[in-house]
Amino acid sequence: MTISKIGQNDIAHHLHPYTQLRQFEKTGPLVITSGKGIEVFDENGKAYIESMAGLWCTSLGFSESRLVEAAHKQLQTLPFYHSFTGKVPGRVPELVEQLTAMAPIKDSRVIFANSGSESNDTAVKLIRYYNNARGKPQKKKIIARNKGYHGVTLASASLTGLPANHAMFDLPIEGVIRVGAPHFYQFGAASETPEQFLNRLIQELEDTITKEGPETIAAFFAEPIQGAGGVIIPPDGYFERVQAILKKHDILFCVDEVITGFGRIGSAFASSHYNLQPDMITVAKMLTSAYVPMSALFVSNEVYQTIADASAKIGTFGHGFTYSGHPVACAVALETLSIYQQDNVFQHVQNMGPHLAANLVQFKGHPIVGDVRSIGLIGAIELAQDPASRKPFEPSKGVGAYMVARAQAHGLITRVLGGDIIAISPPLIINPEQIKQLTDRLAMALEDTHQWVKTWL
């Protein structure tokens, strides 16, 4: 493989996130130089369907001129101002009004940041602030789930339930308690029914709270659909039962909608789809279709009032980022929300979801496919050495990574998650013909992988 001059410079100077660095030094990067619709193009002009919308985020594709124009206009008008000490860029109140009208938390407050990690980190800080303010300083522990993903700051990476995010970083920090993921395919016992598995998860949560002491548990963090952990779709009744336990023990419910917020499953918030009643919600990614960085944390009125009273005693609320509510990000977010509404994007996702499901169903029963799942425009194919017994491949074999590489050779960018899970999360603007093209290329990559596996299995 010949590495271009751009690639050689990248290898020499760029510390790549989420990359096996020594292997990367040998292979070099795929240099992406442009995009149009659901496709991106490399430095040689080769086109790829971006089946992950970048990192679950480029909802409106890679060439939405209205977002570019919104950013340009705002840059000409007010390129920056802050929200500290009672000041605010004019676009912030406008965006806050629209967001709070959409949110499933009644009378919520919004604080902006630049990434999902920052918003989840802010949530952890506010949880501590809130319980200190209401005279419960011992109530600080947070329950998070195996295979959950909440970010890469010290606090949010600690909430994350993926080993690679902890190893060598001295994480997780103290006070994070772990419970199981609602993924029957991977974690259900051979003798269990799905209903028995669900009962076990709920009992585990109740037992964990009892063991730790409910007076010490502050919050429970969860994604409605666990994204980076493997596109884990919860079973019916899971969240209903979880919420009842949290309410009984005065535990805040913090919902991470960084991936699902703004239409991924066909509703503005997945919380509405699952009838969740959170105290906090974090969003990012599709808030601006990823054209500029922006995230937000919604906080219930009850939590806000307690925090506000405490800030009055202290003299200030000592938290915020320089770029919280950046006016350019606000302008792009407002235009993104406008496009969602005017183009009926959420309804489009509802219409496209069955097309994606119908095209993925072809992989059920394949000799190396254990499970296929999707909801809206997010899905996954879980590879297995022996699907009948749910036996996975040895991680060292790199079967999922091989399939992702073959997909890229066929003009499809996708991603492997832990456990040889191939994820699909395309731009929300995808159409039926493009879904067919995407899954056709996925089928070629799967067949290549199957033939390769047969040479050594």
Side-chain angles (χ1 to χ4, degrees), residues 9 23-24 38 42 44 51 164 170 185 195 206 226 289 309 328 362 387 392 407 419:
N9 289 339
Q23 181 65 29
F24 171 73
I38 69 164
D42 68 18
N44 299 313
S51 77
D170 295 335
Y185 178 81
E195 183 179 4
E206 187 74 79
Q226 292 177 246
S289 187
D309 286 344
V328 177
Q362 65 180 290

Side-chain angles (χ1 to χ4, degrees), residues 7-130:
Q8 290 172 348
N9 289 339
D10 188 66
I11 291 170
H13 302 290
H14 188 185
L15 178 56
H16 273 252
Y18 281 95
T19 300
Q20 208 277 47
L21 299 175
R22 292 304 184 197
Q23 181 65 29
F24 171 73
E25 290 171 358
K26 300 174 184 177
T27 60
L30 173 66
V31 181
I32 300 299
T33 58
S34 63
K36 183 176 182 181
I38 69 164
E39 292 184 317
V40 293
F41 301 83
D42 68 18
E43 60 185 324
N44 299 313
K46 181 177 177 177
Y48 304 83
I49 293 175
E50 231 305 352
S51 77
M52 286 299 296
L55 289 173
W56 324 84
C57 53
T58 316
S59 52
L60 298 176
F62 296 87
S63 55
E64 178 48 71
S65 61
R66 287 177 58 178
L67 301 186
V68 176
E69 292 165 6
H72 182 231
K73 182 178 179 180
Q74 187 60 48
L75 282 165
Q76 291 178 314
T77 306
L78 181 67
F80 170 74
Y81 207 70
H82 61 83
S83 297
F84 285 32
T85 61
K87 303 174 184 67
V88 65
R91 305 312 298 271
V92 168
E94 189 179 349
L95 179 58
V96 166
E97 182 180 6
Q98 290 200 28
L99 289 175
T100 53
M102 298 170 65
I105 302 178
K106 185 179 179 182
D107 298 325
S108 60
R109 303 287 176 134
V110 180
I111 182 168
F112 292 106
N114 310 291
S115 69
S117 296
E118 288 181 354
S119 284
N120 282 322
D121 195 273
T122 298
V124 173
K125 289 183 69 178
L126 294 193
I127 289 164
R128 295 182 174 189
Y129 197 102
Y130 169 73

Side-chain angles (χ1 to χ4, degrees), residues 201-358:
L201 287 179
I202 298 304
Q203 189 62 53
E204 178 195 31
L205 176 60
E206 187 74 79
D207 291 347
T208 299
I209 294 170
T210 300
K211 177 184 176 182
E212 297 292 334
E215 73 281 358
T216 72
I217 307 293
F220 177 87
F221 261 81
E223 304 155 271
I225 296 166
Q226 292 177 246
V231 187
I232 299 170
I233 301 170
D236 291 343
Y238 171 78
F239 277 119
E240 180 182 1
R241 296 174 69 181
V242 165
Q243 289 183 106
I245 293 172
L246 301 181
K247 186 175 182 179
K248 180 174 69 173
H249 294 296
D250 184 30
I251 296 171
L252 295 175
F253 186 22
C254 303
V255 177
D256 180 337
E257 292 233 32
V258 170
I259 286 177
T260 54
F262 307 105
R264 178 54 62 189
I265 67 170
S267 56
F269 292 85
S271 291
S272 300
H273 176 84
Y274 288 110
N275 195 28
L276 306 186
Q277 298 175 331
D279 300 285
M280 297 182 179
I281 298 175
T282 54
V283 296
K285 297 189 184 294
M286 297 195 297
L287 173 57
T288 62
S289 187
Y291 278 45
V292 290
M294 190 177 214
S295 67
L297 168 65
F298 296 83
V299 179
S300 72
N301 186 56
E302 179 185 349
V303 172
Y304 166 76
Q305 293 299 339
T306 302
I307 289 171
D309 286 344
S311 75
K313 294 177 182 178
I314 296 169
T316 190
F317 172 60
H319 177 80
F321 302 101
T322 299
Y323 304 115
S324 298
H326 193 289
V328 177
C330 286
V332 174
L334 283 163
E335 193 64 21
T336 301
L337 296 181
S338 178
I339 293 171
Y340 289 156
Q341 182 179 23
Q342 292 174 10
D343 292 356
N344 294 316
V345 172
F346 301 160
Q347 181 62 54
H348 178 73
V349 175
Q350 293 176 32
N351 295 339
M352 292 303 101
H355 286 278
L356 179 61

Side-chain angles (χ1 to χ4, degrees), residues 330-411:
C330 286
V332 174
L334 283 163
E335 193 64 21
T336 301
L337 296 181
S338 178
I339 293 171
Y340 289 156
Q341 182 179 23
Q342 292 174 10
D343 292 356
N344 294 316
V345 172
F346 301 160
Q347 181 62 54
H348 178 73
V349 175
Q350 293 176 32
N351 295 339
M352 292 303 101
H355 286 278
L356 179 61
N359 279 273
L360 290 177
V361 76
Q362 65 180 290
F363 303 117
K364 287 187 175 182
H366 188 280
I368 61 168
V369 172
D371 191 41
V372 177
R373 51 189 178 268
S374 69
I375 180 172
L377 285 178
I378 185 170
I381 298 170
E382 189 155 354
L383 305 179
Q385 181 173 321
D386 181 12
S389 64
R390 291 185 269 158
K391 179 184 178 181
F393 288 101
E394 288 293 329
S396 61
K397 296 294 186 181
V399 175
Y402 183 90
M403 182 169 167
V404 167
R406 293 311 304 154
Q408 186 170 303
H410 291 299

